């Protein structure tokens, strides 16, 4: 299957306890496409950048086989900019700046070749734009979306409208609580699934991820990493690995979703090892496969001899 990804292509300024970088390549669609490309040959990008976006960054994506036909350039506009700061608890992120810039007037166009039979991956973005992309694609398709606190705060009604149209939502635990207005994650998940998505993945940072589906709850661990430098993009690379795995398998069964959670977690565990998308540019599919084996070993629970 092929994958069409809409999301942000950005300049990010990031500060963590381990260093800081200014205006590096980032954005949800960058992390998602780079991650999905490990699994799938046909990954198309739908996004917008300004005239300030260097050609080298576009080449970086196209050299890796990502189809950039759906990337619009607004010559006299500025690229989306985000600045964030992490504290010692890396799950705790502070957004210092979000400048929508060219994103404010973004009118996405899905290239004809992705209109049919694609996995439609709605990366973190204004929910109206996510819906616009969805309306340009035809069933059968699998629609998977992400969102974040920014959009839950700014555009709640529009977000609910988009949620009603998708098969699967991937969000983190604090966003799930905020979206459902419910502190208990199991109750929050039920509420969110009632809003539309039959499947829901809740990421819990260094505590793993949960998949809620018609078959109940599946829990995957997080990989206990020694070297975490920058969590930026972890959620998006999870999504890229997740949709990439589904495209490679070509089916949307609950078992495939469970494996996709493990592959997504494996890709995300690499992403955080260096600043920005750097680590995703270094690893190979063999590295991902080895880490998936480690995940399996980590989560293996031998059938216990009865204690009673
Ligand atoms: P993640 O760490 O996976 O949540 O994603 C981080 C990426 O999301 C960064 O590269 C940012 O450029 C991008 N980003 C930050 N805020 C937003 C937003 N409001 N909408 C879309 N993308 C965003």
């Amino acid at each position: 299957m092929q994958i069409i990804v809409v999301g942000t292509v950005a300049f990010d300024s990031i500060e963590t306890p381990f260093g800081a970088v200014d205006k590096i390549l980032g954005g949800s669609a960058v992390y998602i496409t780079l991650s999905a490309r490990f699994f799938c040959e046909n990954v198309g990008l739908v996004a917008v950048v300004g005239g300030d976006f260097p050609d080298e960054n576009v080449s970086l994506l196209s050299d890796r086989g990502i189809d950039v036909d759906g990337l619009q350039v607004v010559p006299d506009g500025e690229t989306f900019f985000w600045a964030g700061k992490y504290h010692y608890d890396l799950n705790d992120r502070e957004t210092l700046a979000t400048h929508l810039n060219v994103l404010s007037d973004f009118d996405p166009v899905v290239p004809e070749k992705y209109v049919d039979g694609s996995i439609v991956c709605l990366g973190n973005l204004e929910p109206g734009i996510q819906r616009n992309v969805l309306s340009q694609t035809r069933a059968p398709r699998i629609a998977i979306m992400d969102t974040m606190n920014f959009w839950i705060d700014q555009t709640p009604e529009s977000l609910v409208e988009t949620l009603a149209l998708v098969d699967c939502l991937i969000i983190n635990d604090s966003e799930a609580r905020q979206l459902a207005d419910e502190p208990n994650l199991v109750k929050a998940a039920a509420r969110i699934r009632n809003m539309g998505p039959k499947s829901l993945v809740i990421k819990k940072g260094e505590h793993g991820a949960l998949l809620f589906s018609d078959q109940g709850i599946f829990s995957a661990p997080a990989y206990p990493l020694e070297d975490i430098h920058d969590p930026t993009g972890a959620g998006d690379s999870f999504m890229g690995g997740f949709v990439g795995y589904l495209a490679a398998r070509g089916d949307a069964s609950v078992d495939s979703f469970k494996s996709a959670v493990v592959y997504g977690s494996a890709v995300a565990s690499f992403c955080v090892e260096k600043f920005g998308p750097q680590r995703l540019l270094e690893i190979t599919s063999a590295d991902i496969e080895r880490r998936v084996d480690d995940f399996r070993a980590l989560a293996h629970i031998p059938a216990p001899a009865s204690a009673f």
Side-chain angles (χ1 to χ4, degrees):
M1 278 184 100
Q2 54 186 8
I3 304 173
I4 187 72
V5 177
V6 64
T8 47
V9 172
F11 288 131
D12 285 350
S13 292
I14 305 161
E15 200 184 319
T16 82
F18 315 105
V21 287
D22 193 29
K23 287 193 94 178
I24 63 163
L25 173 65
S28 54
V30 167
Y31 288 99
I32 295 170
T33 52
L34 286 172
S35 304
R37 184 63 187 82
F38 288 109
F39 304 84
C40 173
E41 293 208 341
N42 299 317
V43 178
L45 168 69
V46 173
V48 64
V49 291
D52 55 350
F53 195 71
D55 290 343
E56 305 91 81
N57 281 350
V58 179
S59 310
L60 186 144
L61 299 172
S62 57
D63 287 352
R64 298 191 73 81
I66 293 160
D67 182 345
V68 294
D69 283 1
L71 179 66
Q72 299 174 22
V73 182
V74 180
D76 55 354
E78 281 182 56
T79 299
F80 174 81
F81 171 75
W82 176 78
K85 184 174 176 176
Y86 297 83
H87 303 278
Y88 269 100
D89 176 356
L90 292 169
N91 286 328
D92 181 20
R93 172 162 87 188
E94 194 184 334
T95 288
L96 303 177
T98 302
H99 299 168
L100 297 179
N101 297 334
V102 287
L103 203 61
S104 307
D105 301 313
F106 180 35
D107 187 12
V109 179
V110 175
E112 183 59 34
K113 56 195 155 184
Y114 293 100
V115 163
D116 283 302
S118 289
I119 294 186
V120 185
C121 187
L122 307 173
N124 188 13
L125 196 70
E126 199 271 309
I129 301 178
Q130 293 179 317
R131 251 184 346 270
N132 183 338
V133 164
L134 206 51
S135 72
Q136 295 178 49
T137 62
R138 282 189 288 255
R141 51 159 151 65
I142 307 171
I144 300 181
M145 75 177 273
D146 183 14
T147 193
M148 72 184 289
N149 50 0
F150 186 86
W151 303 114
I152 302 173
D153 288 334
Q154 304 281 321
T155 53
E157 285 96 10
S158 179
L159 179 59
V160 167
E161 254 185 79
T162 307
L163 274 172
L165 304 172
V166 300
D167 302 293
C168 176
L169 171 70
I170 303 179
I171 45 171
N172 73 30
D173 46 358
S174 62
E175 291 156 355
R177 291 188 174 100
Q178 187 187 351
L179 179 60
D181 195 17
E182 164 59 57
N184 179 286
L185 273 189
V186 177
K187 289 183 185 157
R191 233 176 241 185
I192 294 170
R193 290 182 66 227
N194 272 336
M195 297 176 182
K198 263 181 48 202
S199 305
L200 170 69
V201 178
I202 299 185
K203 300 163 289 176
K204 298 184 296 163
E206 59 185 341
H207 307 296
L210 298 170
L211 167 71
F212 296 84
S213 73
D214 287 344
Q215 287 182 22
I217 306 175
F218 168 73
S219 170
Y223 190 75
L225 283 169
E226 241 180 272
D227 269 330
I228 304 182
H229 284 97
D230 172 21
T232 307
D236 303 314
S237 33
F238 176 98
M239 188 175 202
F242 185 90
V243 294
Y245 179 84
L246 292 180
R249 300 300 308 164
D251 88 274
S253 65
V254 173
D255 277 349
S256 278
F257 270 57
K258 289 179 185 173
S259 300
V261 169
V262 176
Y263 274 84
S265 305
V267 181
S269 74
F270 282 111
C271 176
V272 302
E273 289 176 345
K274 290 196 175 166
F275 273 85
Q278 180 56 35
R279 194 72 179 110
L280 296 178
L281 303 173
E282 300 169 349
I283 58 169
T284 64
S285 46
D287 293 320
I288 297 172
E289 209 59 78
R290 266 192 298 276
R291 193 150 288 180
V292 166
D293 287 342
D294 292 346
F295 264 94
R296 285 169 49 82
L298 195 67
H300 178 70
I301 303 173
S306 172
F308 308 103

